[in-house]
Amino acid sequence: MNFQILATCSIIFAYTSAAIIEKKLSAVNVKPIEDYNDYAKVLELSFLFYEAQRSGKLPSNNRISWRGDSALNDSGINGEDLTGGYYDAGDFVKFGFTMAWTTTLLAWGGISWPEAYSAAGQLDELRIAVKWATDYFIKCHVNETTFYGQVGDFSLDHTFWGRPEDLNTSRPAFKIDTEHPGSDLAGETASALAATSILFKITNPEYSKKCLQHAQELYKFATDYRGLYHQSIKDATHYYESTDYGDELAWAAVWLYKATKMTNYLDEAEYYYQHFYLNERSNSFFYNKKSAGVQILLAQLTGRDVYKNAAKDFCQFSIKQQKRTPKGLLYIEKFGTLCHAANVAFACLQVADILEIKNSQEYRDFAKEQISYILGSTGRSFVVGWGKNPPTQPNHEASSCPNKPAPCGWSELDRKSPNPQILYGALVSGPDERDEFDDNRQDYIYTDVTLDCNAGFTGSLAGLLQLRVKPTS
C-alpha cells in the first residue's frame, strides 16, 4: 500500500468533507463553531438525528431532505398497523426495548430541564421526537396483554444495504403475550409512556391520559406475566439481550408513581428495589442496567437518605474509580464508549440536582468534562456534522447513499470517502481505551450510531445548558 497516496487522499477527503459540512450546516441554520460547549446548537442537531431515524410516513415538515416515506407495510400477525417509530441504528430493524429506553431518557431530560430546551428553541422538537416513538408504542400495544416488541428480522435486514425507502426484504413482526412474556420490554415501555404522560400533562392532557392508560396496562402485564423478552423474541437475543427484569419492574413502578402519585406504585417500586437487590452499586447506566436510575428517581421522589446515598455512591465510583482513557474519557466498554460516558454524565447531573451539597459541583464538572470530550475538547468531535474533525463515515446505510436517482448498494459500504449525506447530531460509538478512533464506515465498533446512544447525550446537553439558563443557588 502506498501510504503517501493514502495520506494525500485523506487530506483531500477531509477538506471535501469540511466544505460539504459548511454548505449543509448553512441549510439548517447552524454554523460550525469551535466552541465545544455550545450545548444549544448540538441539542438542535441531536433532534435532526432522530428525524433521520424515522420510519413510516413522514410529515410535510420533514427537515431531512434525503429521507422519505419507508416501511409503509409494517404490520402485525393479524394485520395490525405497526408503521412509524424509529429505526434502531444504521440499519432498519425497529427494536422496541431500546426505543423505549431512549424515549424514557428523552422524556426525563425534558421533565427535569425544560428551561434549557426552551432556551435552545428545542422544547417542541423534544415533544415531537418523544411522541413519534410513543405513537408507535400505542399502535404496538394491540390489547392489554399483547405488545409488538420488534419489527424486522436482523439477519434478513443485513442482506440489504441502501435507503430505507428502497427496502426489499420481508419485515416480520414479533410480540410478547401471556404465553410468551417479556416483563423487561413491557416494563420499559410502561416507563416510557409514564414519563411521556408527565411531559405532555400541560400541553396535551388528552394525550397524556392516553399514554398513562397504556403505561398502567403494560406495567400490569409486566408484573402478572413474568419473563425475559428475548426468550420470547428470539431475534433480539444476539443484539439487545436483557439479563434481568427486576430493574424494569422497579423503573416502571417509580415512573408510574411520579406520574400518578398513587402510593401503591411507590410501595411496589420499593419492594422490587429490595427484592432484586437494586440497592447495590452499579458500574454503568444503560438499557440493560437501570438500577442507578431507580435509585435516582426514588431519591428525588422520597428524599430518603438510603436512596440519596445509593445514587451518590454510583457517581462517586464513576468519578473516582471507574477506568478512564489517557485523555479522561470514562471507559466502561469499547462498544458504545461514548454512550456509556454520556449516560453516566446524565445520571450524575440528575444526582447533583438532588443533593445540592458539596458533591454537586463535582458531579456537574464531571458531566461537563465528559460531554466536552465528546464535542471536541481533546482535538476532535465525535458528533457527526459538528465541530473540529467530526466523524464523516458513520456506519449508517441511508446517509451513505448518494442523492437519488443514483443507485445505492453494497459498494457504498466499501467506499473510502465521507458519507454523501451528513447525519447531523449522531453520536458515534467512539474511541477505544487509548483514545484512538477509526473513522471508517466498515468498522462499526467505532462508527456505529444508535437511538439509545443519543438519548443520554441529548439529556446531558440539556442538563449542562440548564446550569447557564437557570444557575443553581
Side-chain angles (χ1 to χ4, degrees):
M1 180 183 292
N2 188 320
F3 289 98
Q4 186 174 3
I5 293 174
L6 180 62
T8 303
C9 289
S10 298
I11 293 170
I12 291 170
F13 288 150
Y15 277 106
T16 303
S17 173
I20 294 170
I21 289 170
E22 182 73 39
K23 181 178 179 182
K24 292 279 189 178
L25 281 170
S26 300
V28 292
N29 274 333
V30 231
K31 295 179 182 177
I33 298 175
E34 292 302 326
D35 178 9
Y36 48 79
N37 292 322
D38 195 341
Y39 307 128
K41 289 295 184 184
V42 187
L43 195 60
E44 178 182 358
L45 296 184
S46 188
F47 288 116
L48 288 178
F49 165 68
Y50 282 109
E51 280 200 36
Q53 294 302 105
R54 286 175 175 175
S55 179
K57 185 166 182 59
L58 302 186
S60 58
N61 61 355
N62 167 47
R63 297 180 293 174
I64 311 300
S65 62
W66 43 275
R67 280 300 326 281
D69 299 344
S70 62
L72 297 181
N73 294 317
D74 282 359
S75 58
I77 295 169
N78 297 312
E80 302 95 337
D81 176 14
L82 301 182
T83 58
Y86 291 104
Y87 298 121
D88 177 69
D91 43 39
F92 307 120
V93 178
K94 297 189 293 194
F95 287 107
F97 191 47
T98 46
M99 195 191 306
W101 158 255
T102 297
T103 307
T104 309
L105 281 200
L106 287 176
W108 193 5
I111 293 164
S112 298
W113 304 304
E115 295 89 350
Y117 286 96
S118 182
Q122 298 303 304
L123 193 53
D124 285 343
E125 296 302 334
L126 167 69
R127 294 190 186 110
I128 290 168
V130 168
K131 191 172 183 292
W132 192 267
T134 51
D135 283 350
Y136 170 72
F137 297 148
I138 290 168
K139 286 182 178 181
C140 291
H141 189 208
V142 296
N143 61 54
E144 291 185 10
T145 56
T146 304
F147 181 79
Y148 281 94
Q150 182 177 324
V151 177
D153 181 294
F154 196 83
S155 59
L156 289 174
D157 186 82
H158 278 223
T159 63
F160 172 89
W161 186 280
R163 306 177 182 92
E165 296 80 6
D166 301 329
L167 273 171
N168 56 14
T169 62
S170 62
R171 292 177 59 76
F174 305 91
K175 63 184 173 67
I176 54 173
D177 54 29
T178 56
E179 296 181 358
H180 311 90
S183 300
D184 35 19
L185 171 61
E188 183 58 65
T189 311
S191 302
L193 288 159
T196 301
S197 75
I198 300 170
L199 187 67
F200 281 92
K201 189 171 185 178
I202 303 300
T203 58
N204 192 339
E206 288 305 311
Y207 190 70
S208 174
K209 289 177 185 177
K210 187 176 185 179
C211 287
L212 185 57
Q213 178 188 342
H214 283 275
Q216 291 173 313
E217 290 176 359
L218 280 163
Y219 172 70
K220 187 175 187 305
F221 175 34
T223 57
D224 288 350
Y225 299 91
R226 302 289 180 90
L228 294 169
Y229 92 100
H230 70 259
Q231 293 176 349
S232 299
I233 301 178
K234 302 290 187 181
D235 192 59
T237 303
H238 301 297
Y239 311 106
Y240 291 119
E241 185 178 42
S242 174
T243 53
D244 199 359
Y245 55 71
D247 51 343
E248 279 85 19
L249 293 181
W251 182 239
V254 74
W255 271 112
L256 280 165
Y257 174 65
K258 187 174 175 68
T260 66
K261 297 300 184 286
M262 294 171 61
T263 56
N264 63 298
Y265 289 125
L266 177 60
D267 292 342
E268 290 170 21
E270 292 188 302
Y271 168 76
Y272 295 134
Y273 184 83
Q274 294 296 330
H275 183 73
F276 291 103
Y277 304 102
L278 303 181
N279 57 322
E280 296 178 355
R281 193 262 308 143
S282 177
N283 69 337
S284 59
F285 177 52
F286 70 119
Y287 71 85
N288 193 28
K289 191 178 287 188
K290 305 178 177 82
S291 55
V294 175
Q295 293 164 359
I296 294 166
L297 278 179
L298 285 172
Q300 288 176 339
L301 294 168
T302 70
R304 291 177 56 190
D305 286 342
V306 63
Y307 302 126
K308 286 184 177 180
N309 290 336
K312 180 180 174 181
D313 287 346
F314 171 73
C315 290
Q316 287 293 109
F317 171 81
S318 298
I319 295 170
K320 304 291 188 183
Q321 295 177 259
Q322 184 64 267
K323 181 177 178 177
R324 303 280 192 105
T325 68
K327 293 182 179 179
L329 178 67
L330 197 72
Y331 187 86
I332 294 174
E333 64 174 301
K334 172 59 207 84
F335 191 69
T337 317
L338 299 175
C339 177
H340 282 293
N343 287 350
V344 175
F346 175 84
C348 290
L349 284 168
Q350 294 282 358
V351 177
D353 286 354
I354 303 168
L355 297 177
E356 284 303 339
I357 57 175
K358 63 180 181 180
N359 297 95
S360 292
Q361 191 56 47
E362 180 182 18
Y363 297 169
R364 289 168 179 144
D365 288 344
F366 161 76
K368 181 178 180 181
E369 172 196 43
Q370 297 303 301
I371 299 304
S372 294
Y373 182 108
I374 290 171
L375 299 183
S377 64
T378 63
R380 73 167 307 149
S381 164
F382 293 95
V383 179
V384 179
W386 169 259
K388 182 179 180 181
N389 192 23
T392 62
Q393 294 189 43
N395 184 275
H396 188 268
E397 294 183 37
S399 69
S400 78
C401 295
N403 290 329
K404 286 187 172 182
C408 183
W410 285 104
S411 59
E412 271 61 51
L413 172 63
D414 301 330
R415 190 168 42 82
K416 304 299 182 184
S417 59
N419 288 14
Q421 318 301 338
I422 300 175
L423 190 65
Y424 285 110
L427 178 66
V428 294
S429 177
D432 61 22
E433 60 188 315
R434 298 180 300 278
D435 296 295
E436 295 178 2
F437 176 73
D438 184 15
D439 187 12
N440 180 344
R441 191 178 305 106
Q442 292 182 321
D443 204 347
Y444 69 91
I445 199 76
Y446 293 96
T447 58
D448 200 31
V449 295
T450 62
L451 294 179
D452 65 295
C453 280
N454 259 69
F457 172 59
T458 303
S460 295
L461 291 167
L464 291 170
L465 182 59
Q466 180 85 358
L467 297 174
R468 297 179 183 174
V469 173
K470 191 179 179 181
T472 57
S473 57

